[in-house]
Amino acid sequence: MSLPAELPYRHGKPLLPSLMARLRRVNIYTFIVTSVFALLALPLIATLFYALATRWGASLTPDALTVKWFLELWTTPRFLAAFGRSLLVAVGALALSLLLIVPVVFLAHTRYPRLDSVMNGLILLPFAVPPIVSSVGLLQLYAGGPLAIVGTPWILIPTYFTIVLPFMYRALANSLRALDVASLMEAAQLLGASPLKAFFLVVLPNIRVGIQIAVFLAFSFLAGEFVFANMLVGTRFETLQVYLNNIRGASGHFTSALVITLFVFTLILTWLGNRQPAEQEMPADDPDEALATAMTDGLPGPVPSAEPEPRHTTHQSSDSAPRGDR
């Protein structure tokens, strides 16, 4: 097949062959991924347009666009109360997780290596036991008796702790594996710091990126948790997902606005958790140099030696006197 005699030119080169070359470079995998992404995004786009529509009947497009439903959502006291309860339970569960998991991860990588293998088995239990089975067991234990905490946030916080345990432990363990923790602790103790002070001033600043990733990913997961919240507390302590389930029979525009709000909130948290810093400071090969980079100003200086250094005094002898004075 021959090309036509007169081809469109740009910058002295024929335009048609360059377009054909670009088409040849299109990867089939890129086309498949783009198609799947568009297929998954279509329901979300339709939900967004329905949340912005004043009325959407039998026509292909909405009659008009408005933000009325979003404004009504954020001025509804019941929604704000449910949103605040979800934040309260999620923050409490994350605080409990950091308080318990960070020391365990540190001890598993410094003093008790066998503890790491035990924890790797424990973090699989939340995936092995379905949430409905766990909820029925918790209802049997805590529905009555001395610890009747069903229907209160005190049962959701430890339950959510078991949910975020795999995410928190794995993210923190990966951060500690990237560090030479033993050398950093030894160098800090040589500079006069106690083990506790070295942990807070040397180890924690180096794993802060791992802590941020674990917190954001776990928070985004807890924001969409429904089974435990619905079965253990229900409407007695209405969280965001329970509120969404209870208003499903209300206006479809209002419900769509709530779904989009929850999706954007979860998307932001997931993006913050996956966003890596442009330049992450890693400890140097020399432990002393890494310690000087990683430590804050709170560590004391080197421990002084027990024996004082000898004081050097100069005495001039008669032989060392200047020749002019002899």
Side-chain angles (χ1 to χ4, degrees), residues 121-138 159 162-163 166 227-228:
L122 288 178
I123 63 177
L124 297 178
L125 291 180
F127 300 103
V129 182
I132 297 180
V133 177
S134 302
S135 301
V136 173
L138 291 172
T159 304
T162 62
I163 296 176
V227 177
F228 284 113

Side-chain angles (χ1 to χ4, degrees), residues 134-200:
S134 302
S135 301
V136 173
L138 291 172
L139 287 173
Q140 294 293 330
L141 289 175
Y142 300 109
L147 288 177
I149 56 177
V150 173
T152 66
W154 306 115
I155 194 173
L156 281 183
I157 291 177
T159 304
Y160 282 2
F161 164 75
T162 62
I163 296 176
V164 302
L165 175 62
F167 306 99
M168 299 285 290
Y169 184 84
R170 185 51 52 205
L172 295 176
N174 293 336
S175 297
L176 282 177
R177 285 196 182 96
L179 299 175
D180 191 358
V181 182
S183 299
L184 290 175
M185 293 292 294
E186 182 180 357
Q189 293 179 17
L190 288 176
L191 291 176
S194 62
L196 186 62
K197 196 171 187 180
F199 170 74
F200 280 103

Side-chain angles (χ1 to χ4, degrees), residues 128 157 206 238 254 263:
I157 291 177
N206 278 276
E238 193 177 47
F254 185 83
F263 174 79

Side-chain angles (χ1 to χ4, degrees), residues 248-260:
R248 66 185 184 275
S251 172
H253 301 281
F254 185 83
T255 307
S256 299
L258 176 57
V259 170
I260 293 298

Side-chain angles (χ1 to χ4, degrees), residues 14 28 124 127 213 216 227 269:
I28 185 64
L124 297 178
F127 300 103
I213 294 174
F216 284 124
V227 177
L269 292 176

